[in-house]
Amino acid sequence: MADRQITELLGRVADGPDGGSADELYELIYGDLRRIARSQLRKLRPGQTLQTTALVNEAFLRLVGKENFESRGHFFAVSATAMRQILIDHARRKGSLKRGGDKVHVSLDKVDPSVEGQADLVLTVDAALSRLKELDPRWVQVVECRFFAGYSEAETAEALGVSIATAQRDWIKAKAWLRRELERGSDAAKEP
């Protein structure tokens, strides 16, 4: 019932928030948006200044009335992308573009939030994702769902409207491509 209700409310606010529908939608999805925001904020180093509630509110304001969403899953996948962009903008504003030196190999599915430089990692991954989008846009969507939103394989498949097997294959391929890109960038940074 909640999925259908959320989809209906997304349809009602597609042409712009009408107050009541937007408020009702916000109440229904707030918990899920907080879960996505917490997942993304955990990837940053401790001491970052952006709070979960601020990230949720900013993403909601950027999305409601700006786009038509096919389903609840589609909305949350786009929300993860919006939150990623907000974090990237925030990191850039905070002067987190300090790159270079020895890059440490980081597994995309085992990011340790206590490691210094996680904001730099998010920015580096974002640059690689921009390049990957030219190769296969769906791979980018899978990475956004799995890495940034913390979705499971099943949630990713649902959000993208593909089978679980396709989501698994895309995740494996995208991780391998990103690993090569990040290692290539690390090698280039080491050259004099």
Side-chain angles (χ1 to χ4, degrees):
M1 177 64 176
D3 286 353
R4 186 174 50 199
Q5 187 179 10
I6 290 170
T7 302
E8 288 173 9
L9 287 169
L10 286 168
R12 275 194 250 153
V13 299
D15 296 327
D18 67 0
S21 294
D23 292 342
E24 188 178 348
L25 175 65
Y26 189 74
E27 287 180 33
L28 285 172
I29 63 173
Y30 182 74
D32 290 324
L33 288 176
R34 281 190 63 83
R35 181 181 59 82
I36 293 169
R38 279 193 305 269
S39 172
Q40 293 204 21
L41 289 170
R42 276 193 300 265
K43 292 172 177 56
L44 300 176
R45 70 178 146 220
Q48 56 78 29
T49 58
L50 195 59
Q51 298 297 317
T52 303
T53 302
L55 184 56
V56 167
N57 292 338
E58 175 91 16
F60 187 77
L61 291 173
R62 283 190 184 189
L63 296 175
V64 173
K66 308 280 190 309
E67 186 173 337
N68 289 320
F69 299 99
E70 299 166 13
S71 66
R72 174 188 177 277
H74 179 232
F75 175 78
F76 288 121
V78 174
S79 295
T81 302
M83 288 182 196
R84 176 175 66 93
Q85 191 58 52
I86 291 165
L87 290 173
I88 290 164
D89 292 346
H90 184 72
R92 285 183 178 142
R93 280 192 304 272
K94 298 295 273 182
S96 295
L97 289 176
K98 301 172 203 152
R99 295 190 192 161
D102 293 333
K103 299 284 182 182
V104 177
H105 173 72
V106 178
S107 171
L108 287 178
D109 33 7
K110 293 184 182 171
V111 174
D112 179 0
S114 66
V115 175
E116 284 296 317
Q118 291 298 308
D120 291 339
L121 173 62
V122 171
L123 293 172
T124 302
V125 170
D126 179 63
L129 287 174
S130 294
R131 294 187 300 275
L132 178 59
K133 193 170 191 172
E134 295 173 16
L135 177 65
D136 192 320
R138 191 175 67 212
W139 288 2
V140 173
Q141 293 174 317
V142 169
V143 171
E144 289 170 345
C145 287
R146 295 298 310 272
F147 182 70
F148 290 99
Y151 278 12
S152 68
E153 291 173 343
E155 290 170 324
T156 299
E158 179 187 340
L160 301 179
V162 298
S163 70
I164 292 176
T166 298
Q168 290 169 334
R169 279 191 305 272
D170 286 352
W171 177 233
I172 290 168
K173 291 174 185 176
K175 282 193 308 183
W177 187 91
L178 283 168
R179 188 173 291 117
R180 281 191 306 270
E181 280 295 298
L182 294 174
E183 287 172 357
R184 186 176 301 140
S186 177
D187 292 343
K190 290 178 186 176
E191 292 176 7

